[in-house]
């Protein structure tokens, strides 16, 4: 059905546009590697692009396309590409937009590997980078060079929750002919639509809020126009970064409840953040919904809600933090985020451990920082769990 005039939650359920010929009410899993052509001429027409049709799953598949169309709709983009992981989406962007002699600028506190590969792997191909505090537009401007091709942002950033002013970042980038990409994983399109601010590419680790049930790994790219979409698609399909139909089906299924999951997790997150902030054993809390967040007002303007990710530090630093992580019972001590279950983890020794000490320090990822992904359990249970663990500090 045409969902263009429908609300967000209706799009979550009904967007996609793939109608199954056998009458299946939802788009089924087309678990096939290849597709039968009616005759040789049709196969040739599909390959030349003269006629649209399915050829081979790495190049396109109805189950995957249903998911991609839905994300295009939700993010207000031109087209989407689902990938095998969030990192496959990140690498598709890097490989598409950067070549020998090019330079990119990234926020210093990205998801660890999004920065790590740029500093460890890409220099081998003659690509240069600067990672700076992109919550400050002046800091971005300072490192722009004539060969800067990409401004890569995460807002709010993993795990420091820093927020970049998207309108100002786009204005600056456009002035210097730099393309912009936002990793929107922490928000999902329910809370933030970067393309509406003029950003060129949005990406997500679908492993997180989009799928929402901690049972797949996947990624997605949404391009604002046809030219970028075709460039990204060339890299994605030829590098073999594609998602498989079963994963895509699960992501599409999980996506249907994105709105109600985030509504609930976000309501609980506010209570958890307030609880932590008032706790005498907690040193600081970073949550976009708290007035104490350094970019609280920007977050209010730019996002439709503060989300379900909280970072905090226990007084006594890492040792005290370990006591909390080792003694929670309801919250699962595990990396990842954005699922229905509350997760707790320690970035300095886990998700961001491969970054150098210098990189972590400059990005303000302190040794004591603990990251919480608030799930949809009863909020009283989440708080009681943290409370009993904090008592042991
Ligand atoms: N972008 C962000 C913001 C992420 O948090 C992650 C994974 C990725 C990209 C990469 O996605 P993946 O390839 O894993 O689907 N973040 C993780 C985290 O914070 N804990 O474990 C994984």
């Amino acid at each position: 059905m045409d969902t263009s005039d429908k609300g967000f939650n209706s799009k979550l359920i009904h967007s996609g546009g793939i109608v199954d010929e056998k009458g299946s009410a939802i788009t089924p899993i087309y678990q096939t590697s290849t597709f039968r052509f009616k005759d040789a001429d049709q196969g040739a027409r599909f390959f030349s692009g003269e006629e649209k049709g399915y050829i081979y799953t790495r190049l396109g598949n109805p189950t995957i396309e249903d998911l991609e169309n839905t994300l295009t709709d939700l993010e207000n983009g031109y087209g989407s590409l689902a990938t095998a992981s969030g990192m496959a989406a990140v690498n598709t962007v890097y490989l598409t937009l950067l070549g020998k002699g090019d330079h990119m600028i990234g926020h210093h506190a990205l998801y660890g590997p999004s920065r790590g590969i740029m500093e460890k792997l890409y220099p081998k191909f003659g690509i240069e980078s600067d990672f700076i505090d992109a919550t400050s537009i002046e800091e971005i401007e300072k490192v722009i060079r004539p060969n800067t091709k990409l401004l890569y942002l995460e807002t709010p950033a993993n795990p420091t929750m820093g927020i970049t002013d998207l309108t100002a970042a786009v204005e600056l980038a456009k002035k210097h002919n730099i393309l912009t990409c936002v990793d929107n994983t922490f928000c999902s399109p329910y809370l933030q639509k970067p393309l509406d601010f003029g950003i060129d590419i949005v990406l997500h680790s679908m492993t997180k809020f989009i799928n929402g049930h901690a049972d797949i790994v996947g990624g997605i790219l949404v391009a604002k126009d046809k030219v970028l979409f075709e460039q990204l698609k060339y890299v994605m399909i030829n590098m073999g970064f594609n998602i498989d139909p079963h994963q895509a089906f699960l992501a599409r299924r999980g996506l249907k409840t994105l709105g109600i999951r985030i509504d609930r997790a976000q309501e609980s997150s506010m209570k958890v953040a307030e609880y932590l902030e008032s706790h005498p054993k907690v040193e600081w809390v970073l949550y976009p919904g708290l007035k104490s967040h350094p970019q609280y007002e920007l977050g209010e303007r730019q996002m439709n809600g503060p989300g379900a990710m909280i970072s905090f530090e226990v007084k006594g630093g890492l040792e005290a933090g370990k006591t909390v992580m080792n003694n929670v019972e309801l919250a699962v001590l595990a990396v990842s985020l954005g699922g229905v279950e509350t997760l707790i983890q320690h970035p300095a020794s886990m998700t961001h451990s491969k970054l150098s000490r210098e990189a972590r320090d400059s990005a303000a990822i302190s040794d004591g920082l603990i990251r919480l992904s608030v799930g949809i359990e009863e909020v009283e249970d989440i708080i009681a769990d943290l409370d009993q663990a904090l008592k042991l500090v």
Side-chain angles (χ1 to χ4, degrees), residues 85-87 111 114 154 158 183 185-186 205 207-208 217-218 335-337 351 371:
S85 66
M87 285 315 298
Y111 169 59
S114 302
E154 246 180 52
N158 182 359
D183 182 332
T185 299
F186 269 34
S205 165
T207 317
K208 315 298 188 300
V217 171
V335 297
S336 204
L337 58 106
T351 47
R371 197 189 70 189

Side-chain angles (χ1 to χ4, degrees), residues 8-212:
F8 192 89
N9 280 287
S10 305
K11 288 183 190 221
L12 287 177
I13 313 297
H14 297 290
S15 283
I18 302 295
V19 178
D20 177 48
E21 282 172 14
K22 299 268 186 266
S24 166
I26 59 157
T27 306
I29 311 175
Y30 286 85
Q31 191 71 45
T32 183
S33 58
T34 197
F35 294 83
R36 191 193 300 267
F37 306 131
K38 280 203 195 90
D39 54 37
D41 286 342
Q42 189 193 46
R45 286 199 303 278
F46 285 179
F47 267 93
S48 72
E50 202 180 311
E51 190 181 330
K52 187 184 171 331
Y54 299 105
I55 299 170
Y56 182 62
T57 281
R58 180 162 52 74
L59 312 179
N61 172 295
T63 312
I64 298 172
E65 202 177 307
D66 193 66
L67 173 67
E68 292 171 335
N69 290 346
T70 305
L71 263 300
T72 300
D73 212 4
L74 298 174
E75 289 281 12
N76 296 332
Y78 168 82
S80 299
L81 297 160
T83 55
S85 66
M87 285 315 298
V90 173
N91 278 292
T92 302
V93 172
Y94 290 171
L95 290 167
T96 303
L97 302 186
L98 301 168
K100 191 165 183 253
D102 290 341
H103 172 248
M104 78 155 251
I105 301 171
H107 181 51
H108 54 195
L110 301 175
Y111 169 59
S114 302
R115 174 171 174 173
I117 45 165
M118 188 43 69
E119 291 185 323
K120 290 205 181 96
L121 179 66
Y122 282 85
K124 194 162 98 177
F125 306 110
I127 296 165
E128 301 163 352
S129 58
D130 273 302
F131 290 89
I132 44 82
D133 179 6
T135 64
S136 156
I137 300 299
E138 294 77 53
E139 292 298 310
I140 302 175
E141 193 156 23
K142 273 188 210 159
V143 292
I144 292 178
R145 305 183 196 166
N147 59 340
T148 306
K149 294 285 161 62
L150 169 65
L151 174 61
Y152 185 91
L153 303 168
E154 246 180 52
T155 176
N158 182 359
T160 54
M161 309 305 295
I163 299 175
T164 297
D165 184 334
L166 292 176
T167 307
V170 166
E171 196 187 324
L172 176 67
K174 283 209 157 74
K175 204 166 88 190
H176 295 270
N177 274 325
I178 298 168
L179 289 172
T180 48
C181 175
V182 167
D183 182 332
N184 202 24
T185 299
F186 269 34
C187 280
S188 88
Y190 189 50
L191 299 182
Q192 181 169 269
K193 293 183 176 54
L195 299 182
D196 288 357
F197 292 83
I199 293 290
D200 297 298
I201 303 166
V202 168
L203 72 81
H204 294 269
S205 165
M206 288 198 297
T207 317
K208 315 298 188 300
F209 290 100
I210 288 182
N211 172 63

Side-chain angles (χ1 to χ4, degrees), residues 275-286:
Y275 158 79
L276 288 171
E277 194 166 51
S278 66
H279 198 289
K281 288 184 184 168
V282 172
E283 186 76 43
W284 52 257
V285 182
L286 280 170

